[in-house]
Amino acid sequence: MSHLSHISITTLVLAALAGPAVAGDLSYPIVDTGQTSHFDNMGSASASSVATDYPGQDADYQGNQAQYRDNGDGTVTDLVTGLMWEKSWHDASWQAAMDGAASAETGGYSDWRVPTIKELYSLINFSGNQGRGNPSSSMPPADAAPFIDTSAFDFAYPESGRYIDVQFVTSSLYTGTVMNGQQCFFGVNFADGRIKCYPTSTSRHAGGEWQVRYVRGNAEYGHNSFADNGDDTITDTATGLMWTRVDSGDPGLYGENDGALTWSDALNLAESSDFAGYDDWRLPNAKELQSIVDYTRSPDATASAAIDPVFDITPVINPAGDTDWAEFWSSTSFEPGMDAVVVYFGRAMGYFAPGGAAPAFIDVHGAGAQRTNPKTGEDSYGFGPQGDVRYITNFVRLVRDAG
């Protein structure tokens, strides 16, 4: 097939504070992933043992540490983002979730809304673990841990069906379609640590309902403000991050082979780069990388990658033989550590047979999905219920703190 210091200590603030202080007065501060462990290609490892071959991974950098205040009225305020959340959730179809926001009165507030995918993803915490077990099981493995701070927010695995079915609704619709024509919304799964696009017309696997946690406040959260610096770098003044305008498919940044690297090579490229005269580049963590997805764009709707055109992005040919755009590595490992998190700016492909049709390579989860790929081994397809296509080499875009 053609291939196409964040040490988190989550703080639950119980005292009554005057109000949320959005990090650094940014409108879109990125909350740290919560990952504090180090990893090599096979699993967890000591920081000293990975310093040479796996430098600059997620746990080596400290970002905006999650800080939540329980308001004692069924609401939780995120002191980093300025968003207020419901502490618990509602079970609903996608449409019922959308309709229900107008009548929600949690905490005495009447301005609740369904979160966007970027608002909801701010809550994901990569200290979570899907667990070493069968994801189709009805019981979570003993080592499973949710991808959300359960000291701040209510969480429960489903009482029936697959334990990994904890998919939360957002208002962000895919501008393309999946599964050969289905309209879908991007949702965050807090049991398996992924973003996928789920059908708006059906309930989740095994006939259950989706979940929704309403949000209010900071209407600017998730809105980028890109400035081209004229030196092949782009600054997002909303997040305070600077990005390389080009990716590893460009000779100026990498220029070897087609630009696809293993996870270890991606980390080392970032560590050694002096692109545009800066020597403090890093491989972005999962939440930083997801922050530059443009969910208004897609290969089907705009004939482009799901990223603002201020950026260059290398085209690839996907397994179906179509022009597409690849997935990108993050510095965030996925417990128990053999995989790392990838974000898709082109179609999230699988080898799948929707509705009893013959299996084919199709877009199963949408441009803007977040899944995981193995750090070593062989490219493959047919992984999981939707037959995910997985590559061991992926593209790279570097980030640094602006200023």
Side-chain angles (χ1 to χ4, degrees):
M1 294 180 292
S2 294
H3 188 5
L4 326 188
S5 132
H6 283 269
I7 304 176
S8 174
I9 304 174
T10 302
T11 303
L12 179 60
V13 181
L14 297 174
L17 302 178
V22 176
D25 295 322
L26 299 167
S27 60
Y28 183 12
I30 308 301
V31 183
D32 192 72
T33 65
Q35 186 158 103
T36 60
S37 298
H38 288 80
F39 300 87
D40 57 22
N41 280 348
M42 301 309 296
S44 60
S46 68
S48 59
S49 69
V50 299
T52 299
D53 293 332
Y54 308 91
Q57 55 184 275
D58 193 337
D60 288 326
Y61 293 96
Q62 182 174 3
N64 298 312
Q65 302 305 295
Q67 299 181 64
Y68 301 115
R69 182 181 71 218
D70 189 325
N71 299 310
D73 58 359
T75 71
V76 174
T77 299
D78 185 331
L79 300 175
V80 175
T81 67
L83 296 170
M84 179 183 286
W85 295 90
E86 291 183 305
K87 182 178 179 69
S88 193
W89 72 88
H90 312 270
D91 295 321
S93 68
W94 181 80
Q95 190 60 58
M98 296 298 294
D99 295 341
S103 59
E105 296 181 340
T106 305
Y109 300 98
S110 59
D111 57 347
W112 295 102
R113 64 181 182 269
V114 176
T116 67
I117 186 61
K118 291 191 175 182
E119 289 172 332
L120 187 58
Y121 198 65
S122 72
L123 298 182
I124 200 165
N125 186 312
F126 281 97
S127 65
N129 185 353
Q130 180 178 308
R132 296 174 184 261
N134 180 0
S136 294
S137 170
S138 61
M139 293 294 293
D143 61 337
F147 288 79
I148 191 169
D149 184 350
T150 56
S151 67
F153 297 97
D154 293 343
F155 176 89
Y157 291 107
E159 295 181 358
S160 62
R162 304 184 310 176
Y163 82 91
I164 62 167
D165 284 326
V166 190
Q167 300 100 337
F168 274 71
V169 164
T170 77
S171 60
S172 301
L173 291 172
Y174 187 27
T175 58
T177 60
V178 297
M179 306 295 184
N180 288 341
Q182 293 188 44
Q183 183 189 51
C184 61
F185 67 90
F186 285 103
V188 178
N189 189 324
F190 289 105
D192 78 355
R194 292 171 170 85
I195 295 172
K196 294 181 179 177
C197 207
Y198 302 104
T200 58
S201 60
T202 62
S203 295
R204 66 167 174 81
H205 186 84
E209 292 182 303
W210 312 114
Q211 285 76 51
V212 62
R213 176 175 271 120
Y214 294 129
V215 71
R216 60 183 298 273
N218 193 2
E220 293 303 307
Y221 195 83
H223 295 272
N224 304 101
S225 182
F226 294 123
D228 190 330
N229 300 313
D231 59 356
D232 279 337
T233 69
I234 304 294
T235 296
D236 185 352
T237 59
T239 63
L241 298 174
M242 179 185 287
W243 296 88
T244 56
R245 187 181 64 82
V246 298
D247 61 39
S248 54
D250 186 278
L253 183 60
Y254 181 58
E256 295 183 30
N257 302 317
D258 62 356
L261 299 88
T262 65
W263 188 67
S264 175
D265 286 344
L267 291 168
N268 278 278
L269 172 65
E271 185 74 7
S272 63
S273 180
D274 60 359
F275 188 83
Y278 300 101
D279 62 3
D280 56 351
W281 295 105
R282 62 180 183 269
L283 193 63
N285 70 34
K287 296 170 85 168
E288 290 170 334
L289 184 57
Q290 190 263 352
S291 78
I292 59 170
V293 176
D294 185 341
Y295 286 95
T296 70
R297 301 176 184 274
S298 68
D300 292 341
T302 56
S304 70
I307 193 169
D308 191 286
V310 71
F311 293 98
D312 279 0
I313 185 167
T314 302
V316 298
I317 302 299
N318 70 27
D322 299 323
T323 298
D324 212 336
W325 292 269
E327 60 266 38
F328 281 66
W329 283 124
S330 77
S331 63
T332 305
S333 290
F334 190 79
E335 293 274 11
M338 288 81 77
D339 284 11
V341 173
V342 290
V343 174
Y344 289 73
F345 292 86
R347 299 174 183 91
M349 300 292 286
Y351 188 69
F352 191 61
F361 288 109
I362 59 173
D363 188 359
V364 292
H365 293 305
Q370 175 254 295
R371 303 193 309 207
T372 71
N373 277 356
K375 298 173 180 177
T376 187
E378 301 290 338
D379 295 345
S380 62
Y381 64 89
F383 179 82
Q386 288 81 40
D388 295 358
V389 177
R390 310 217 302 165
Y391 295 108
I392 63 163
T393 58
N394 301 283
F395 280 69
V396 172
R397 190 180 302 277
L398 304 184
V399 72
R400 60 182 296 273
D401 295 323

